[in-house]
Amino acid sequence: MDTQEEIRKHICIQCDNEAIKGSDYCEACEAKEFKKIGGWLYLPALGLLVALVMSILAINNTARALLQFSSSFTTTGLAVIYFELFGFIGQFLLTIYVGSLFLRKKRQLPLTYIVFLLYGVVFVGVDLWLANALMNLPIDYDDTRSLIRAIVACCIWIPYFRVSERVKRTFVH
């Protein structure tokens, strides 16, 4: 005979109906729970908010540098600055789009979020390479830190968005 504790483990924590084996919820409550943004998905949502703010600041700083110091840049230096400006604008627009898919729980979000992550790696990598190749700027740890951060984010979130059951059940519209 089951002990009182074992019986309690098979009751939904939300509504006191019988829970699905291996779950804390009954079928109805589990379906409701997975429709919400929750669990680890709060971190990508926070990341999108941070990316939005950072891209606005980057656009502002790059445009300000372009306006104030454009006469002191060489042609290749201007090319790198324009690449950065348009790259940051692209990142801003992509962040807005991905954020809207995220909030509306659209089915396209997992693939689009992966593209968003890869865009960050490619953009930072190409920017570092252009600055080094065209402007002879040395690449140091401070410069590569953003590239390393983008690569680590890809290593964490791409597998999560590809295999997570929560992602598959949340982004269904």
Side-chain angles (χ1 to χ4, degrees):
M1 181 164 192
D2 288 334
T3 65
Q4 190 70 9
E5 186 175 310
E6 289 173 342
I7 292 171
R8 195 140 196 59
K9 286 182 183 178
H10 299 292
I11 295 176
C12 177
I13 61 174
Q14 205 70 7
C15 67
D16 291 334
N17 288 333
E18 185 176 346
I20 300 170
K21 188 172 183 171
S23 176
D24 291 332
Y25 301 101
C26 65
E27 286 187 39
C29 292
E30 188 172 77
K32 282 189 240 173
E33 184 65 25
F34 276 107
K35 286 184 180 179
K36 299 186 290 187
I37 304 269
W40 290 105
L41 287 175
Y42 285 122
L43 293 176
L46 181 63
L48 285 170
L49 186 60
V50 169
L52 184 67
V53 171
M54 296 303 288
S55 62
I56 290 169
L57 293 173
I59 291 168
N60 183 38
N61 291 340
T62 306
R64 184 178 293 147
L66 188 61
L67 292 173
Q68 289 179 349
F69 305 111
S70 63
S71 61
S72 62
F73 285 118
T74 62
T75 305
T76 55
L78 280 174
V80 172
I81 296 296
Y82 276 113
F83 172 78
E84 286 182 350
L85 181 62
F86 290 117
F88 288 133
I89 291 170
Q91 185 177 30
F92 173 77
L93 295 173
L94 186 57
T95 304
I96 294 287
Y97 179 64
V98 172
S100 74
L101 292 177
F102 198 97
L103 292 175
R104 294 180 294 146
K105 299 181 200 104
K106 291 295 190 178
R107 185 176 299 130
Q108 302 93 333
L109 183 271
L111 179 62
T112 310
Y113 194 82
I114 291 169
V115 169
F116 168 75
L117 293 170
L118 293 173
Y119 178 90
V121 171
V122 171
F123 174 60
V124 172
V126 170
D127 186 40
L128 287 173
W129 177 78
L130 285 174
N132 180 266
L134 298 179
M135 298 174 65
N136 295 322
L137 294 176
I139 299 174
D140 61 5
Y141 174 73
D142 288 336
D143 297 328
T144 58
R145 188 172 44 196
S146 58
L147 181 60
I148 292 168
R149 189 179 307 124
I151 291 170
V152 168
C154 282
C155 291
I156 293 169
W157 295 114
I158 289 175
Y160 179 76
F161 273 85
R162 301 230 350 123
V163 300
S164 168
E165 191 64 32
R166 177 169 279 285
V167 170
K168 290 175 186 166
R169 294 170 97 184
T170 301
F171 301 104
V172 294
H173 297 296

